Amino acid sequence: MLANNKHVLCEKPLTLIGAQAAEIFKIAESKQLFFQEAILTRFFPATIRMQDFAKTAVGDIRLVTAYLGQNSATSLRHVRKQLGGGSVKDRSGYVLQHALAVLGNDLPDKISAVGQLNNETVDSTAAIELQWKDGRMASLGFSLLTTVMPAEANIYGSSATIKMPDTFARPTAVQLINSANTTIENYPLPTVLDHRTFLANAAGMIYEAQEVRRCILAGLLESPLLTHKDSLTILAIQDEVLKQIGVSYDSLYANGVFVGSSLEPELQAPVLKPVSCPNFYH
């Protein structure tokens, strides 16, 4: 697409290996083309309001938490290595973007992770702890195996707490709690004609589409709501998490070209293998 001088909105994850994304951004910028990773959460009005609250209403942010899970154990694209499967690549982008949305997009000073791998040595479940030298912290978890895991995301500050009381990846409300009262702001989804999708609150994808259009018409190469640096930081954290839990996609490439095998017709039930990280930070 970039080679043919087209602006691009690319589904997450941009790449399986973080360094590849930097090359993509470099090409887009050299050709003066808009390029963005499609993390739709950042464009929902409730997310933008959450960021406003984080800047003005909670004091010093002490801890950010986010958890996301759904049973995708029989979905080939989720569990097969040659299809880029794994919970880190499929799910962690949502929880990581949530943390970076309020903590900033500089790399944390400490990244610690544990994970559980299937028989194709890709992760089915993982947990991440992030810490910055100034005391900012995040605790994040995600899974391809859980039957029920509420999609919850919270921000704990010195004077107030922010809760995303519904599906935080596609939020329609934000809650601010302090010692005096609780405030809930609701942001109903837009009406979209012929809206057919299996995703909850997916009508909100229109927010991302509208922002992409706005940026392209304005001649911008990235959206200020989700910058190239945001995506690169998410990918850098993912690279380190994968390294710690023992997952690598290097075998899928030869001289920088993807050579992963084709889709196999049968899927064997993955056999779980716990993996711990010896340098888990305390």
Side-chain angles (χ1 to χ4, degrees):
M1 297 294 287
L2 292 175
N4 287 284
N5 298 311
K6 303 296 183 183
H7 302 292
V8 176
L9 175 64
C10 181
E11 177 56 33
K12 61 149 193 67
L14 290 182
T15 60
L16 296 179
I17 299 170
Q20 296 169 338
E23 289 299 312
I24 292 173
F25 289 140
K26 184 178 179 181
I27 293 170
E29 290 167 2
S30 70
K31 297 173 77 68
Q32 291 294 287
L33 293 171
F34 178 87
F35 190 99
Q36 183 174 290
E37 184 176 15
I39 301 180
L40 78 170
T41 311
R42 284 292 183 93
F43 308 97
F44 274 67
T47 298
I48 295 171
R49 184 57 168 153
M50 175 197 77
Q51 291 176 295
D52 290 340
F53 278 149
K55 292 176 182 177
T56 62
V58 301
D60 296 328
I61 297 175
R62 308 298 192 191
L63 177 67
V64 174
T65 63
Y67 303 96
L68 184 66
Q70 182 179 349
N71 194 331
S72 303
T74 58
S75 170
L76 289 173
R77 77 171 183 86
H78 287 100
V79 301
R80 297 199 69 83
K81 175 174 280 190
Q82 57 264 49
L83 298 180
S87 64
V88 170
K89 283 301 177 182
D90 188 75
R91 301 276 155 86
S92 76
Y94 291 111
V95 298
L96 287 169
Q97 71 77 29
H98 170 72
L100 299 181
V102 295
L103 295 176
N105 61 10
D106 53 318
L107 274 172
D109 298 289
K110 292 185 181 295
I111 302 171
S112 304
V114 292
Q116 192 175 43
L117 310 189
N118 67 16
N119 61 352
E120 292 205 3
T121 64
V122 291
D123 50 292
S124 298
T125 301
I128 305 173
E129 301 291 328
L130 306 176
Q131 185 169 11
W132 288 259
K133 288 180 180 178
D134 59 7
R136 291 172 291 159
M137 293 191 297
S139 179
L140 314 169
F142 42 92
S143 178
L144 299 173
L145 297 178
T146 54
T147 302
V148 177
M149 179 185 284
E152 296 179 347
N154 300 315
I155 301 160
Y156 300 97
S158 57
S159 59
T161 294
I162 301 171
K163 290 183 176 290
M164 307 303 285
D166 65 351
T167 304
F168 81 87
R170 297 176 293 277
T172 58
V174 58
Q175 187 174 14
L176 179 67
I177 305 168
N178 57 36
S179 58
N181 55 50
T182 296
T183 301
I184 300 178
E185 295 187 6
N186 295 298
Y187 297 87
L189 292 169
T191 300
V192 181
L193 296 178
D194 197 26
H195 172 229
R196 302 173 187 176
T197 177
F198 66 92
L199 293 173
N201 299 348
M205 288 181 178
I206 194 172
Y207 301 129
E208 181 176 57
Q210 290 171 334
E211 173 64 4
V212 170
R213 180 179 185 274
R214 183 193 72 82
C215 290
I216 291 173
L217 292 176
L220 302 178
L221 303 184
E222 62 182 354
S223 168
L225 300 179
L226 182 71
T227 66
H228 293 172
K229 184 178 178 181
D230 289 326
S231 293
L232 290 173
T233 299
I234 289 171
L235 285 163
I237 295 172
Q238 289 178 341
D239 281 352
E240 177 60 23
V241 169
L242 292 170
K243 178 181 177 182
Q244 290 187 19
I245 66 177
V247 176
S248 173
Y249 296 98
D250 291 346
S251 63
L252 303 183
Y253 295 87
N255 299 319
V257 177
F258 183 79
V259 293
S261 60
S262 61
L263 180 65
E264 296 182 11
E266 299 294 334
L267 171 67
Q268 301 298 320
V271 177
L272 300 181
K273 176 185 177 183
V275 175
S276 60
C277 174
N279 62 334
F280 193 89
Y281 178 72
H282 296 286

